[in-house]
Amino acid sequence: MTNKLRACYTDSPDDLSINYFPLFIRTEKGKFLALDLGGTNFRVLLIELSENHFEMKSKIFAIPQHIMLGSGEQLFDHIADCLAKFMKEENIMKERLALGFTFSFPLRQLGLTKGLLKSWTKGFNCSGVVGNDVVQLLRDAIKRRGDISIDIFAILNDTTGTLMSCAWKNQSCRIGLIVGTGSNACYVEKQKNAELFDEPDAGSGQVLINTEWGAFGDNGKLDYIRTQYDKNIDQDSINPGKQFFEKMISGMYMGEIVRQALERFTKEGLLFGGKGSDLLFTKGRFYTKYVSEIESDYSGVYTNCREILEELGLKHATEQDCVNVRFVCECVSRRAAHLVSAALCTLLNKMDEPHVTVGIDGSVYRFHPHFHNLMMEKISHLINPHLKFDLMLSEDGSGRGAALVAACASAKKR
Ligand code: GLC
């Protein structure tokens, strides 16, 4: 696994987006806005920074399915609309604030405020955006409205936002990891090792590399461990042939992997006395949050499990069915935690720094009761013995990180 991940980098160097962000940003002050698009929710944030302290207000807005699959113009109009609503509520319509945009999709980043979308991932597939600068699309949408004015100072990936936000508190943070709707990581690399980055050293000698590791395996390198369930998930997705690693790990797919296994075992007569239900046999109907809830039951007690099975029309489940359902959930979530840990160890071992803190965000890591412990255990096995690491949950990581980068970039301009 370790070597294969490295091989994936060298096979397709185009998949790495490289960027430079200053890591020391504690001294900026004032109000800053952030947008966070690409996870379970779309959020708008307002952050007020004072010395070593910040206050944050945020609001979650839904992105309806027809917009996720509609045109780019509809998507960016909707984003601008949510931003304007939020600014109105916060009484800042008349202010011209700096904004950081967390846009959690693969970008060819051409500067701090220019990023061309390489491809959509997760549940999005808006037309007319791939190949275009998403900052410009947002600026155009804001201009079309004409009622707010904003200075966009940065566009960044959620992994980068998470790293920046953790580094604000903990200077040993050198990796940003997301295990949520999707999965990805970025890390701090010595600029001399970043052959694709040809800008002059801005002073730190370091760059951030967004690995986009969700795409690991798209070239066949994971075929030896992909199961029939993984293949079905890929076939049924809106981006077949893409994001193989992510599809084995992240929240968008985990529940469906479990559901497929349960469906098969039921049809083979191994579960529920061979009698399933319409909901159990409906694609996408076993939510990833069920996996976390079922595994949150104390050992030997199946309260959540029973409730979920009843909700799915499986009232007839026996105690042994509950034991088995929980076991399937554990197999799928443990595999995800182990895969993430293996990839993380590749980075930790490559960086070879004595102590690295990993800033982590995402619904799977946050809500699954054992994910953290599973990762701690597996990383301890795989990491080079002389290296130390910490896993740090990021509080509102990606959005806040975007505001911090905007704060830093706007101060630099002043
Ligand atoms: C997907 C996106 C990536 C993002 C990750 C986590 O893999 O391609 O950019 O960081 O999801 O949200």
Side-chain angles (χ1 to χ4, degrees):
M1 176 76 206
T2 305
N3 289 333
K4 295 202 178 207
L5 187 63
R6 192 168 294 155
C8 163
Y9 292 163
T10 47
D11 282 353
S12 48
D14 263 7
D15 285 343
L16 299 172
S17 32
I18 300 177
N19 220 318
Y20 163 78
F21 293 99
L23 278 172
F24 302 99
I25 45 179
R26 300 182 74 97
T27 53
E28 313 315 331
K29 295 188 187 117
K31 280 187 204 159
F32 302 92
L33 281 165
L35 300 177
D36 189 355
L37 179 77
T40 320
N41 299 307
F42 167 57
R43 291 200 315 157
V44 185
L45 303 93
L46 174 65
I47 292 173
E48 196 155 358
L49 290 178
S50 49
E51 217 143 312
N52 287 331
H53 178 75
F54 72 91
E55 269 178 45
M56 186 168 94
K57 287 185 181 159
S58 71
K59 189 163 180 180
I60 292 176
F61 294 89
I63 307 258
Q65 181 93 3
H66 73 271
I67 291 193
M68 287 168 77
L69 301 173
S71 72
E73 197 166 302
Q74 278 172 311
L75 174 70
F76 285 96
D77 281 345
H78 180 68
I79 293 173
D81 188 42
C82 298
L83 175 62
K85 280 193 182 121
F86 179 80
M87 291 178 73
K88 196 164 180 198
E89 279 171 29
E90 295 299 327
N91 258 322
I92 49 170
M93 279 297 255
K94 298 274 170 301
E95 296 183 44
R96 189 182 175 107
L97 298 180
L99 178 140
F101 185 14
T102 305
F103 183 79
S104 311
F105 301 95
L107 284 184
R108 182 169 306 278
Q109 191 132 7
L110 302 178
L112 201 49
T113 55
K114 191 165 179 157
L116 313 184
L117 179 66
K118 286 196 209 167
S119 58
W120 287 111
T121 52
K122 299 172 278 191
F124 285 74
N125 198 9
C126 303
S127 58
V129 186
V130 172
N132 288 303
D133 175 12
V134 288
V135 173
Q136 195 51 48
L137 295 176
L138 178 60
R139 283 193 181 121
D140 293 347
I142 290 173
K143 205 162 163 199
R144 275 196 292 279
R145 304 180 55 84
D147 58 349
I148 48 172
S149 49
I150 290 294
D151 282 323
I152 305 174
F153 269 101
I155 180 157
L156 49 152
N157 190 257
D158 50 356
T159 54
T160 314
T162 299
L163 191 154
M164 299 307 292
S165 150
C166 286
W168 193 73
K169 282 195 184 154
N170 180 338
Q171 303 254 329
S172 68
C173 186
R174 287 285 180 275
I175 296 183
L177 167 67
I178 303 287
V179 196
T181 308
S183 179
N184 187 17
C186 74
Y187 75 105
V188 178
E189 179 60 279
K190 293 176 194 75
Q191 186 163 340
K192 66 177 166 45
N193 293 342
E195 291 144 21
L196 299 175
F197 191 75
D198 45 20
E199 301 219 350
D201 182 348
S204 71
Q206 297 178 328
V207 289
L208 277 190
I209 304 222
N210 170 7
T211 66
E212 281 296 333
W213 76 24
F216 177 42
D218 293 5
N219 53 4
K221 293 228 155 84
L222 282 178
D223 287 358
Y224 73 114
I225 52 167
R226 289 179 69 232
T227 64
Q228 190 54 47
Y229 309 124
D230 298 313
K231 290 176 189 161
N232 298 344
I233 295 257
D234 179 54
Q235 281 310 308
D236 293 340
S237 70
I238 58 169
N239 54 350
K242 300 255 159 62
Q243 302 293 106
F244 281 178
F245 193 54
E246 174 163 275
K247 285 172 180 164
M248 298 172 83
I249 293 168
S250 74
M252 179 139 186
Y253 312 97
M254 191 186 281
E256 176 60 12
I257 300 177
V258 171
R259 193 201 65 79
Q260 284 193 30
L262 298 182
E263 175 169 355
R264 174 178 154 198
F265 295 141
T266 307
K267 290 185 170 160
E268 287 176 0
L270 300 167
L271 270 177
F272 313 124
K275 187 172 169 287
S277 69
D278 288 349
L279 290 179
L280 181 68
F281 295 157
T282 304
K283 273 184 194 147
R285 190 50 185 77
F286 194 98
Y287 308 130
T288 297
K289 69 171 184 180
Y290 290 168
V291 179
S292 293
E293 286 166 5
I294 288 171
E295 290 192 53
S296 294
D297 276 331
Y298 291 116
S299 124
V301 180
Y302 296 98
T303 323
N304 291 344
C305 185
R306 280 207 176 283
E307 218 170 88
I308 290 162
L309 294 180
E310 277 185 25
E311 201 175 305
L312 291 172
L314 298 160
K315 238 187 162 128
H316 55 285
T318 62
E319 173 99 3
Q320 188 57 47
D321 287 329
C322 290
V323 174
N324 293 340
V325 167
R326 183 181 170 125
F327 180 69
V328 172
C329 291
E330 284 169 355
C331 289
V332 175
S333 61
R334 194 188 318 124
R335 182 184 74 153
H338 286 180
L339 287 169
V340 168
S341 304
L344 208 50
C345 278
T346 308
L347 295 182
L348 289 166
N349 291 341
K350 178 183 191 309
M351 290 163 83
D352 199 30
E353 288 196 24
H355 180 212
V356 169
T357 297
V358 183
I360 315 183
D361 205 351
S363 47
V364 172
Y365 180 80
R366 201 174 272 275
F367 299 123
H368 188 281
H370 311 300
F371 215 83
H372 172 86
N373 291 347
L374 287 164
M375 283 182 68
M376 288 298 291
E377 203 187 339
K378 187 46 90 183
I379 296 170
S380 306
H381 285 154
L382 298 177
I383 195 168
N384 290 341
H386 65 287
L387 303 177
K388 295 208 164 21
F389 72 97
D390 285 314
L391 304 183
M392 170 181 171
L393 176 69
S394 150
E395 300 295 339
D396 298 300
S398 43
R400 191 178 70 191
L404 292 174
V405 175
C408 184
S410 65
K412 222 171 158 196
K413 198 178 166 194
R414 283 198 306 269

